[in-house]
Amino acid sequence: PVDALRCAPMRSFRITDTHWSVYGACVATKELGEQLGIQRDKLSALYANDNYRLQTVVGDLGNKLFPNQAAEELMLTSFNFRQFVHYDNGLQNFGRILMCVNPAALVDGHCLVFGSSSIYSMLNYLSRLFSTITVIHTAGNIDPAIVSAIKPQYLVAQTNARFVIRAPVTHYDLPSVINGKLSEMSETEQTELLAGEH
């Protein structure tokens, strides 16, 4: 949503990071919601009372420099999606599965997202938009078996610019990715991962 991000009333990009800002994630969520048939005024009202405060953060670019470079970013203070986390398998990046359930959300429906790292900042907004939101970290690649099993009312593929050097696939095998990651872990790491899974 380049035009919407460019014209946003607050900065939609981060200075020392490759991801959109938290506010940029809100802009992207509203654009997505509208594309999925939700009225713009309802989307705007949903996030109208959000509060932000400036916080100094080192981003994924800033931490590659010595000394580290930081910048002030607006952080959302009035809402945190973690209160609605129903399940998180705890894997880092590819293969992660995270589900939020919020019965009071605007739309009573399940939204399945095959996404990448930029989707996590959207969860503060998506978890208020859909009563169930499932995020699977695949960088936009779609596993049709997962779609068939969940049968979501909404299906979204999200990726970051660095992954578009090749097109996402529609025959992704999520269990193989997860099993591959687990096979690279020690028994202790696997036990710790399962202990933290909820």
Side-chain angles (χ1 to χ4, degrees):
V2 176
D3 290 339
L5 292 167
R6 183 185 291 125
C7 300
M10 293 192 284
R11 181 160 45 82
S12 61
F13 63 92
R14 296 182 64 189
I15 293 174
T16 59
D17 197 280
T18 59
H19 299 85
W20 46 41
S21 67
V22 173
Y23 181 74
C26 179
V27 173
T29 301
K30 287 195 272 189
E31 291 296 307
L32 173 64
E34 194 168 16
Q35 288 293 316
L36 294 175
I38 301 163
Q39 293 177 356
R40 185 74 181 198
D41 59 340
K42 290 184 178 179
L43 291 163
S44 296
L46 188 60
Y47 311 121
N49 296 320
D50 284 353
N51 295 314
Y52 299 83
R53 68 174 168 79
L54 284 172
Q55 183 177 324
T56 301
V57 289
V58 175
D60 63 6
L61 294 177
N63 68 12
K64 291 178 171 60
L65 301 173
F66 182 81
N68 287 347
Q69 298 294 304
E72 283 193 330
E73 305 287 350
L74 284 173
M75 307 302 287
L76 183 66
T77 59
S78 53
F79 184 85
N80 191 319
F81 76 90
R82 297 194 184 281
Q83 64 187 303
F84 297 114
V85 172
H86 183 72
Y87 174 81
D88 184 354
N89 71 359
L91 287 176
Q92 294 297 307
N93 299 319
F94 286 84
R96 186 177 187 183
I97 302 171
L98 189 150
M99 175 188 282
C100 294
V101 178
N102 177 9
L106 180 66
V107 176
D108 182 16
H110 194 154
C111 180
L112 171 60
V113 181
F114 290 100
S116 57
S117 52
S118 287
I119 202 68
Y120 297 113
S121 57
M122 293 176 73
L123 283 173
N124 280 321
Y125 307 100
L126 287 170
S127 63
R128 288 181 275 171
L129 185 53
F130 300 104
S131 58
T132 304
I133 175 87
T134 299
V135 170
I136 302 177
H137 195 126
T138 66
N141 296 297
I142 294 174
D143 185 332
I146 300 295
V147 178
S148 296
I150 292 178
K151 296 181 175 60
Q153 285 76 37
Y154 301 91
L155 177 63
V156 175
Q158 179 275 324
T159 191
N160 292 359
R162 60 180 166 272
F163 295 124
V164 297
I165 54 170
R166 63 181 180 86
V169 301
T170 56
H171 56 271
Y172 197 75
D173 186 354
L174 180 65
S176 292
V177 172
I178 292 173
N179 289 333
K181 290 193 111 172
L182 292 174
S183 69
E184 294 171 359
M185 293 180 178
S186 67
E187 273 190 45
T188 302
E189 289 173 324
Q190 288 184 31
T191 301
E192 288 174 354
L193 180 70
L194 290 171
E197 203 173 41
H198 64 282

